[in-house]
Amino acid sequence: MEISKTYNPAEVEDKWYAYWMAHDFFKSVPDEREPYTIVIPPPNVTGVLHMGHMLNNTIQDVLIRRARMLGKNACWVPGTDHASIATEAKVVAMLRERGIKKSDLSREEFLKYAWEWKEKYGGIILEQLKKLGASCDWSRTRFTMDAGYYDDVINVFIDLYNKGLIYRGKRMVNWDVVARTAVSDEEVIFKDTRSRMVYVKYLVDNGQLTIDNEKGQGTGDKGITQSKNYIVVATVRPETIMGDVAVAVHPDDERYKHLHGKNVIVPLVNRAVPVITDEAIDKEFGTGCLKVTPAHDTVDYEIGLRHGLPVIDTLNEDGTISEAGKVFVGMDRFAARKQAIKKLEEDGLIEKMEDYSHQVGHSERTDAVIEPRLSMQWFLKMRDLSKPALDAVVSGEVKLIPNKFINTYKYWIENVRDWCLSRQLWWGQQIPAWYDGEGNFVVAKTREAAFEKLRMQNAECRIENIKQDEDVLDTWASSWLWPISVFDGFAKPDGDIKYYYPTSDLITAPEILFFWVARMIIAGYAYKKEKPFTNVYLTGIVRDKQGRKMSKQLGNSPEPLELISKYSADGVRVGMLLCSPAGNDLLFDESYCEQGRNFANKVWNAFRLVKGWTHHPQPLSKGEGSRTDVTPEKNQVAIDWFSSKLSSEIENINDLYSKYRISEALMATYKLVWDDFCAWYLEMVKPDFVDGQPLPVDSYTYNSTIEFFEDILKLLHPFMPFITEELWHLIRERDEKDCVINAEWPEALPSDKNIIEQFELFKEVVTNIRNIRQQKNISPKTPMKLALVKNKEPLPEWFPRLLVKLCNVPILIFGNTYPGNVLPFIVRQYEFHVSLDTTLDIAAEKARLMLELEYNKGFLESVQKKLSNERFVQNAKPEVVEIEKKKQSDAEAKIKAIEEQLGSL
RNA sequence: GGGAGCAUAGCUCAGCUGGUUCAGAGCAUCUGCCUUACAAGCAGAGGGUCACAGGUUCGAACCCUGUUGCUCCCACCA
């Protein structure tokens, strides 16, 4: 059978994914085993796979596959999030392309389009995950707007309302003028923005008064005191001037004391407003005067409340100036800003303008500049509800990995503010509040239930006149129930949830620590009296090589599916993990995927080698036949060594997994396979050729090698599920259900430290000899002769025959050297000579030895210095002193040997 | 403005309670090899004042202080 020289992943991947599915290997049903559960962070239903998903889901799949192999009942629940704002925006855009305006549609019509969209595009991202190899239990796929899920969200809302934790009120909220909805504090991104600070004159109402506005009155550099009948207010939002209802100064500000209680004229609209005093004013900022616009600024709103000021809302929900603004009505806020400046200039009311850089809130979804806006919304009181979620993380009941996020988390919870739950959108769970049109409202699940309640407040109320709240809930008010709802935890508290909850690990991005993780923990304690998961693994952000976040706009993100077709799913998975240290951002580069692909190919070729062996069905006894150069005795060392090495590495790998150092676990596996297994083990046991034919391999060696290979496939499987499954079936005849996906994770047997140590010595000798070949330009095919000249302890008896195998150099002489030219080298306390046919460059050799001598003398000196330091000998631990003493004697021996060599030259 | 974290080879990172081989890995680089598993490979080599400056200690990449540079989080300074 001819096996391709390179691994061809395309058909292999589809074949095995279908095979796993057909055999229900991803499916989990509760049983007597220990559960291992992951709920996927549900991607937006409109989403397409990006590199962040690739990383996140690769890690989840690695963990779930390993758990499955460890004999746990592994359950990975997939699904999607309805993502109200994002999806609604996409549907609106799609309708606009078709010439349909959202405003022309009824709610029902719009939702019909939205659901059509969801049915058509909603599954794309999940299909893409399958290409990556994600072993989710697809039969459990959930969507946050599924009927049952929808009910859970509504029921929780009603419950929280009944407990007095949800209230409705007119508050200052973050308003997204593009999406025309309120958004939560977490959805506001502050960005450094350059604006113009405009210094606007507000004339004092009483023409008699003169005010001095200059700092350092009369003594400043200008030397001139100007008297003015105005005060100057600094603002970056002159378009809000029409909403001004006062000018505030600090009560202690000497500059303005004479104005307390006076009126000033608001420009543009010529309204007289009082000068008030408030502690909240920063005397140092701007001119120390604040224009008070309660409708459009949080601070101003609070000042307004304290002083009983009116609220003039000059903005429409789409960000245009409202009727109440009186001027620039209907104009967009930014156009109005320009116009206001122009008008103020014309009126001579601008003192000066400055460039000003500050943080401005933008909508996470639409990137529109957020307007603080007063509006009627629903809020959830967070303080008491979040208390258990704080304790859980602080006590370590829920672990954050890496734990540097604990501080951030703590700070957020401790300072959490009430959560604005309502969104002025249609796509989402509609708020179950009902109004009778006369100022009464109730919260109830159905119209009928609402009617019953409303009748208590308003006997006249008629069922056909009551109206449900138009708003929907924030998306996160549904996804915070994800770990409970995906198991029908509300509807069937004694069902699957009992088995799977709390889930094991949550793998997600730190960006949504507050949005989602914190709130899931809150909901978990509120509704299950228990944490939703034990470990939260926070992945880094995928960036490009220049450290920029990958984004569509920058166009710096590779297309994941193209990467997969180029480098194979296994290659890309390995590539993602190679560059993702735990908890740090990763600078992604395609070359990592190339490395992953090359690694897959290496494994493939190791298989080709083993597959090409012919082997005797029975172990051969010694001396049987002439072609039995390869005997079990000869390979015993290699087998013993690798067996020990394998076990100690399994231990190491398990330890790394337990610390969630996935990238390092991969690297340890990589080196075990590439270096230990391929470069050393296989090189030692592979058969020699006689007459162009490889000698048969004895069955003991053959079977051992196959078993090692199988263990290696198991260790590789979480990282490279496809190639390992393919090889699992090629390497041995299997039953239909015998797959690596459900094979048992290899056990670390007791390993022989001694043989591992001996082998390290062996490797050093081999490297030295190969180095000499390289230096002297001697082909590996040319046999060389080696002498062991000096040794304190005997070499393991197997050295000579394995040296022949690996570097074509037998040790022929012990305790003596060769006549003629020899090249010496020292490994630990052993001195070797290689016999050379070529003449030796004495001068060069002397120079080399002198260098080595000098170096060792310096080293010895530093060790002696340490040992002659009394305080070191007294204070250091005895074993440390012992080590230093050993270093001293080794160095002395080495120096002596070098000197002897120099003498003999 | 407040807080957190980071700074180790050209790149990405390890380095766990200060003390094993005068600082490790992978990739990249350089040199020699198409050696019948693999050139997506083999063999070998080079490469670091552990950001900077002080301090503690017999001993510091590691602990302390300061400086510089980067990143992230939080925050209503108009």
Side-chain angles (χ1 to χ4, degrees):
Chain A
M1 177 179 60
E2 191 59 37
I3 310 166
S4 158
K5 246 180 156 180
T6 50
Y7 167 58
N8 296 315
E11 53 189 277
V12 168
E13 293 179 357
D14 288 344
K15 174 179 76 182
W16 289 113
Y17 202 87
Y19 193 92
W20 293 326
M21 288 290 284
H23 289 81
D24 277 342
F25 287 142
F26 305 159
K27 200 173 162 67
S28 168
V29 271
D31 58 21
E32 69 295 337
R33 287 175 298 168
E34 182 192 342
Y36 175 87
T37 318
I38 296 180
V39 290
I40 204 170
N44 287 359
V45 69
T46 58
V48 284
L49 204 64
H50 58 62
M51 295 308 288
H53 294 126
M54 295 284 280
L55 171 66
N56 184 255
N57 289 290
T58 297
I59 295 171
Q60 291 178 73
D61 198 44
V62 167
L63 294 175
I64 210 91
R65 283 181 186 270
R66 178 162 176 271
R68 198 178 283 128
M69 296 174 78
L70 284 168
K72 294 181 187 169
N73 186 342
C75 181
W76 183 9
V77 184
T80 46
D81 189 303
H82 70 281
S84 62
I85 293 190
T87 306
E88 182 149 333
K90 282 214 173 166
V91 175
V92 167
M94 176 272 289
L95 289 172
R96 198 186 302 126
E97 265 175 38
R98 290 210 239 155
I100 304 169
K101 277 159 74 182
K102 183 190 167 191
S103 52
D104 293 342
L105 296 176
S106 70
R107 185 181 193 115
E108 286 65 35
E109 287 167 333
F110 177 82
L111 287 177
K112 202 168 149 260
Y113 282 118
W115 277 105
E116 273 172 21
W117 167 281
K118 187 259 166 186
E119 294 311 323
K120 197 163 169 196
Y121 300 106
I124 290 180
I125 194 158
L126 300 182
E127 290 308 309
Q128 291 178 317
L129 283 177
K130 293 178 182 172
K131 295 281 174 206
L132 185 66
S135 59
C136 305
D137 182 351
W138 298 106
S139 68
R140 293 180 180 273
T141 307
R142 297 303 297 261
F143 175 53
T144 53
M145 286 238 285
D146 284 347
Y149 204 117
Y150 194 112
D151 274 356
D152 292 346
V153 175
I154 296 300
N155 290 337
V156 163
F157 182 94
I158 294 169
D159 180 66
L160 290 168
Y161 179 81
N162 290 339
K163 286 176 175 155
L165 291 168
I166 286 181
Y167 61 92
R168 182 171 181 256
K170 200 163 191 181
R171 293 293 140 92
M172 194 57 82
V173 295
N174 306 300
W175 188 263
D176 179 332
V177 299
V178 172
R180 298 189 198 182
T181 177
V183 297
S184 69
D185 294 334
E186 286 70 34
E187 288 164 292
V188 180
I189 315 283
F190 285 90
K191 293 189 190 172
D192 233 0
T193 309
R194 295 187 66 82
S195 307
R196 301 186 88 188
M197 178 77 89
V198 186
Y199 290 77
V200 185
K201 299 172 184 173
Y202 283 50
L203 301 177
V204 176
D205 200 11
N206 176 352
Q208 310 294 35
L209 256 175
T210 58
I211 317 156
D212 196 297
N213 193 32
E214 295 283 327
K215 262 190 176 173
Q217 188 172 14
T219 61
D221 296 340
K222 287 165 190 161
I224 305 161
T225 304
Q226 286 185 325
S227 292
K228 298 163 191 165
N229 59 343
Y230 56 81
I231 60 173
V232 176
V233 170
T235 179
V236 288
R237 296 195 299 160
E239 75 281 8
T240 64
I241 284 176
M242 297 86 80
D244 289 357
V245 294
V247 169
V249 297
H250 195 275
D252 301 336
D253 195 334
E254 294 296 334
R255 293 172 297 177
Y256 304 116
K257 274 212 162 147
H258 57 292
L259 281 175
H260 296 177
K262 297 285 191 298
N263 283 345
V264 293
I265 304 292
V266 176
L268 303 174
V269 290
N270 295 320
R271 181 166 56 237
V273 298
V275 175
I276 59 169
T277 61
D278 198 287
E279 301 273 348
I281 308 304
D282 181 350
K283 284 190 280 187
E284 306 302 317
F285 192 87
T287 60
C289 300
L290 174 72
K291 64 195 257 325
V292 182
T293 322
H296 301 294
D297 189 282
T298 325
V299 177
D300 295 16
Y301 177 68
E302 271 154 31
I303 294 174
L305 284 180
R306 284 200 283 276
H307 296 268
L309 297 169
V311 175
I312 303 172
D313 186 347
T314 58
L315 268 185
N316 291 317
E317 60 174 32
D318 61 353
T320 58
I321 305 299
S322 72
E323 291 289 340
K326 293 208 165 62
V327 290
F328 316 129
V329 174
M331 197 181 279
D332 179 74
R333 53 193 170 145
F334 293 114
R337 178 175 298 177
K338 279 189 185 151
Q339 288 303 310
I341 292 172
K342 201 174 155 205
K343 182 74 167 54
L344 290 167
E345 270 179 328
E346 284 167 14
D347 293 347
L349 293 177
I350 294 189
E351 192 186 63
K352 59 173 175 176
M353 288 194 273
E354 287 172 348
D355 282 341
Y356 182 65
S357 162
H358 61 146
Q359 299 281 326
V360 175
H362 289 67
S363 167
E364 197 214 11
R365 282 288 154 217
T366 65
D367 205 39
V369 172
I370 290 293
E371 286 293 338
R373 187 166 186 259
L374 205 54
S375 68
M376 187 63 91
Q377 303 287 348
W378 291 89
F379 295 89
L380 174 60
K381 293 180 189 169
M382 295 295 278
R383 192 148 297 274
D384 295 340
L385 208 53
S386 60
K387 184 80 178 55
L390 175 63
D391 299 341
V393 168
V394 170
S395 71
E397 176 82 4
V398 173
K399 284 196 196 69
L400 301 188
I401 300 151
N403 61 16
K404 67 179 175 186
F405 288 104
I406 293 176
N407 281 332
T408 323
Y409 177 90
K410 223 176 119 182
Y411 185 85
W412 183 82
I413 295 248
E414 282 170 350
N415 295 282
V416 69
R417 284 180 290 173
D418 290 355
W419 176 8
C420 177
L421 291 173
S422 39
R423 296 290 180 277
Q424 287 64 55
L425 301 165
W426 283 342
W427 178 243
Q429 288 90 359
Q430 192 172 0
I431 291 179
W434 307 78
Y435 304 86
D436 69 351
E438 310 200 6
N440 299 308
F441 72 88
V442 293
V443 166
K445 193 158 184 191
T446 61
R447 175 177 296 268
E448 290 68 31
F451 176 62
E452 289 304 317
K453 283 186 170 178
L454 272 172
R455 259 205 321 206
M456 317 274 272
Q457 295 175 30
N458 172 10
E460 309 286 293
C461 177
R462 302 185 43 189
I463 192 162
E464 59 272 26
N465 290 343
I466 64 176
K467 275 199 174 138
Q468 187 174 0
D469 198 300
E470 289 282 311
D471 292 352
V472 299
L473 287 163
D474 180 8
T475 295
W476 303 101
S478 53
S479 42
W480 75 327
L481 306 177
W482 188 247
I484 306 173
S485 275
V486 294
F487 298 113
D488 295 323
F490 290 99
K492 299 177 200 153
D494 293 322
D496 279 9
I497 185 109
K498 267 199 142 166
Y499 181 73
Y500 292 112
Y501 192 98
T503 67
S504 312
D505 298 340
L506 178 80
I507 289 82
T508 192
E511 299 162 297
I512 53 174
L513 186 61
F514 309 135
F515 274 120
W516 193 47
V517 180
R519 287 169 178 161
M520 275 192 290
I521 300 175
I522 294 171
Y525 282 100
Y527 286 98
K528 291 308 296 179
K529 309 271 173 277
E530 212 181 341
K531 62 188 174 184
F533 28 71
T534 304
N535 301 295
V536 181
Y537 180 98
L538 294 150
T539 64
I541 294 167
V542 184
R543 297 172 181 279
D544 67 9
K545 263 224 141 159
Q546 287 132 56
R548 299 174 306 175
K549 201 168 160 175
M550 286 193 169
S551 74
K552 265 191 193 160
Q553 283 132 346
L554 277 173
N556 59 348
S557 176
E559 173 54 49
L561 295 185
E562 279 172 22
L563 282 181
I564 288 177
S565 66
K566 203 165 161 190
Y567 299 107
S568 82
D570 293 333
V572 175
R573 290 165 66 111
V574 167
M576 294 299 316
L577 293 176
L578 278 175
C579 60
S580 58
N584 284 332
D585 286 0
L586 55 124
L587 302 184
F588 179 81
D589 187 86
E590 258 190 62
S591 63
Y592 289 109
C593 294
E594 201 181 326
Q595 196 183 341
R597 177 202 60 180
N598 293 355
F599 183 43
N601 202 45
K602 183 73 187 177
V603 177
W604 179 255
N605 276 298
F607 163 75
R608 285 181 63 219
L609 171 68
V610 175
K611 197 64 193 171
W613 290 350
T614 52
H615 65 282
H616 291 292
Q618 297 299 319
L620 294 171
S621 57
K622 235 181 177 175
E624 182 189 325
S626 58
R627 285 168 63 93
T628 53
D629 183 46
V630 180
T631 65
E633 288 78 8
K634 182 160 185 181
N635 289 334
Q636 190 65 51
V637 175
I639 291 165
D640 288 350
W641 165 73
F642 189 74
S643 171
S644 281
K645 185 70 186 170
L646 178 64
S647 283
S648 78
E649 282 308 310
I650 289 170
E651 220 168 295
N652 179 31
I653 290 163
N654 285 342
D655 180 59
L656 291 168
Y657 271 114
S658 75
K659 292 172 178 152
Y660 292 85
R661 295 177 162 215
I662 314 289
S663 182
E664 287 174 58
L666 168 61
M667 191 41 74
T669 312
Y670 179 96
K671 285 195 275 191
L672 173 70
V673 174
W674 200 308
D675 299 341
D676 297 320
F677 186 65
C678 294
W680 292 101
Y681 174 77
L682 289 180
E683 288 300 330
M684 285 189 285
V685 300
K686 78 181 187 186
D688 293 326
F689 276 67
V690 172
D691 305 331
Q693 285 298 313
L695 294 170
V697 177
D698 67 276
S699 66
Y700 175 73
T701 302
Y702 184 82
N703 291 337
S704 301
T705 304
I706 295 294
E707 278 165 31
F708 289 148
F709 213 129
E710 285 175 333
D711 275 354
I712 273 169
L713 291 176
K714 291 177 192 175
L715 293 171
L716 283 172
H717 180 74
F719 302 115
M720 311 177 101
F722 294 109
I723 189 174
T724 49
E725 195 67 86
E726 173 76 359
L727 294 181
W728 185 259
H729 293 268
L730 289 176
I731 206 165
R732 198 197 280 266
E733 287 280 309
R734 309 262 176 201
D735 292 341
E736 196 187 345
K737 291 209 159 183
D738 178 3
C739 289
V740 72
I741 189 177
N742 55 12
E744 229 175 275
W745 188 253
E747 204 184 330
L749 304 166
S751 79
D752 180 352
K753 297 277 176 292
N754 197 33
I755 194 164
I756 290 177
E757 187 47 41
Q758 283 182 357
F759 200 79
E760 288 307 307
L761 173 68
F762 174 72
K763 279 180 177 175
E764 268 187 70
V765 175
V766 170
T767 303
N768 267 284
I769 294 166
R770 285 173 175 170
N771 192 1
I772 289 170
R773 277 192 190 277
Q774 180 85 6
Q775 274 174 24
K776 301 295 164 199
N777 210 2
I778 303 164
S779 158
K781 287 177 187 161
T782 314
M784 291 162 73
K785 292 181 286 182
L786 185 69
L788 175 60
V789 182
K790 266 192 205 118
N791 57 304
K792 261 194 196 160
E793 291 162 41
L795 275 179
E797 49 78 32
W798 49 269
F799 264 57
R801 55 174 193 264
L802 283 178
L803 284 171
V804 177
K805 182 85 186 169
L806 288 187
C807 41
N808 201 7
V809 175
I811 304 180
L812 297 176
I813 305 182
F814 290 85
N816 208 339
T817 187
Y818 296 99
N821 288 324
V822 291
L823 206 53
F825 66 91
I826 298 163
V827 175
R828 306 192 194 177
Q829 63 276 66
Y830 302 91
E831 183 179 343
F832 297 90
H833 288 182
V834 177
S835 169
L836 290 179
D837 294 337
T838 52
T839 50
L840 202 58
D841 182 343
I842 308 261
E845 198 49 36
K846 258 189 177 165
R848 188 183 68 81
L849 285 169
M850 285 303 287
L851 217 64
E852 208 177 325
L853 183 66
E854 203 179 316
Y855 166 82
N856 277 288
K857 277 185 169 171
F859 176 63
L860 178 64
E861 207 177 312
S862 79
V863 175
Q864 281 172 335
K865 205 169 152 192
K866 220 183 236 187
L867 282 169
S868 60
N869 183 333
E870 268 178 49
R871 289 204 273 181
F872 169 72
V873 181
Q874 277 169 15
N875 296 335
K877 284 181 234 161
E879 53 275 28
V880 175
V881 179
E882 271 315 300
I883 287 160
E884 290 301 317
K885 281 185 180 161
K886 184 161 186 305
K887 277 203 247 176
Q888 184 182 21
S889 67
D890 283 0
E892 281 165 350
K894 203 153 188 181
I895 287 166
K896 202 173 155 216
I898 295 169
E899 279 169 340
E900 276 171 23
Q901 282 169 23
L902 274 169
S904 72
L905 275 173

